[in-house]
Amino acid sequence: MKTLLKYDLRIQQTLILLFIASVLTALLLKQEYMMTVLIIEFFLIAFFQYVLNTVKFCNVRYTKTASRKIYIFTSTYIVIGFLIWILMCMVSLPPLDTGEAIRSIFEYMVISWTMLSPVLILQSLSISFSDHEDTKNRILKKCL
């Protein structure tokens, strides 16, 4: 885990660059399977960043900045909402007004996930960059 935390910024940068390259490739090739590749890459980035930031949030070596707290709160909202949505898709709701209301709420939640996800990817990258700089500064202070 130490190695993962040490190279998290590089790993995130690489994953995001691969995703951008895949988007450009998908635009050029216009193949149906590329959409599947993009969805898989997107979820891999989201999963990696969520796990990484959760580990850092629970680790005493990393400061709990406002940005990190906002990231954890917002990403947990998305993860829990997404898991509930999957469960709701597996269970058929009765055709009552409450079932339609719940479906309507989840439609709005999906829209919010769509808007928040790119912001969270960039915020996680920013947090990792700040952590990298903090680590460098701590090492420099020890050397002096």
Side-chain angles (χ1 to χ4, degrees), residues 51-65:
V51 168
L52 184 72
N53 282 297
T54 303
V55 167
K56 285 181 176 182
F57 187 77
C58 297
N59 193 329
V60 293
R61 287 185 42 205
Y62 297 95
T63 57
K64 289 182 175 66
T65 61

Side-chain angles (χ1 to χ4, degrees), residues 80-93 106:
I80 291 172
F82 186 70
L83 293 175
I84 291 171
W85 180 65
I86 289 172
L87 288 173
M88 297 287 288
C89 289
M90 295 164 82
V91 176
S92 70
L93 292 173
F106 275 101

Side-chain angles (χ1 to χ4, degrees), residues 3-142:
T3 305
L4 184 66
L5 291 175
K6 183 177 179 181
Y7 295 109
D8 72 309
L9 180 61
R10 294 257 188 204
I11 294 169
Q12 284 188 63
Q13 288 172 334
T14 304
L15 287 173
I16 292 169
L17 287 174
L18 283 172
F19 183 73
I20 292 170
S22 295
V23 168
L24 294 175
T25 304
L27 291 174
L28 292 174
L29 294 179
K30 297 179 183 175
Q31 298 290 326
E32 286 185 35
Y33 71 90
M34 286 303 294
M35 186 55 83
T36 305
V37 170
L38 290 175
I39 291 169
I40 290 169
E41 284 183 18
F42 184 81
F43 277 104
L44 283 174
I45 291 170
F47 177 76
F48 176 76
Q49 287 184 332
Y50 182 71
V51 168
L52 184 72
N53 282 297
T54 303
V55 167
K56 285 181 176 182
F57 187 77
C58 297
N59 193 329
V60 293
R61 287 185 42 205
Y62 297 95
T63 57
K64 289 182 175 66
T65 61
S67 179
R68 192 181 311 275
K69 290 176 184 176
I70 291 169
Y71 177 88
I72 291 295
F73 177 78
T74 309
S75 59
T76 301
Y77 153 75
I78 291 174
V79 168
I80 291 172
F82 186 70
L83 293 175
I84 291 171
W85 180 65
I86 289 172
L87 288 173
M88 297 287 288
C89 289
M90 295 164 82
V91 176
S92 70
L93 292 173
L96 300 172
D97 290 336
T98 57
E100 290 302 317
I102 291 172
R103 283 189 185 96
S104 178
I105 290 169
F106 275 101
E107 288 174 6
Y108 288 118
M109 287 178 74
V110 170
I111 291 169
S112 72
W113 301 339
T114 306
M115 291 187 287
L116 286 173
S117 293
V119 173
L120 288 174
I121 287 173
L122 295 176
Q123 184 179 7
S124 177
L125 190 61
S126 172
I127 291 169
S128 291
F129 182 75
S130 296
D131 292 340
H132 181 73
E133 291 298 314
D134 288 346
T135 304
K136 272 192 341 187
N137 289 338
R138 267 190 266 134
I139 291 171
L140 284 173
K141 285 179 182 179
K142 282 183 181 180

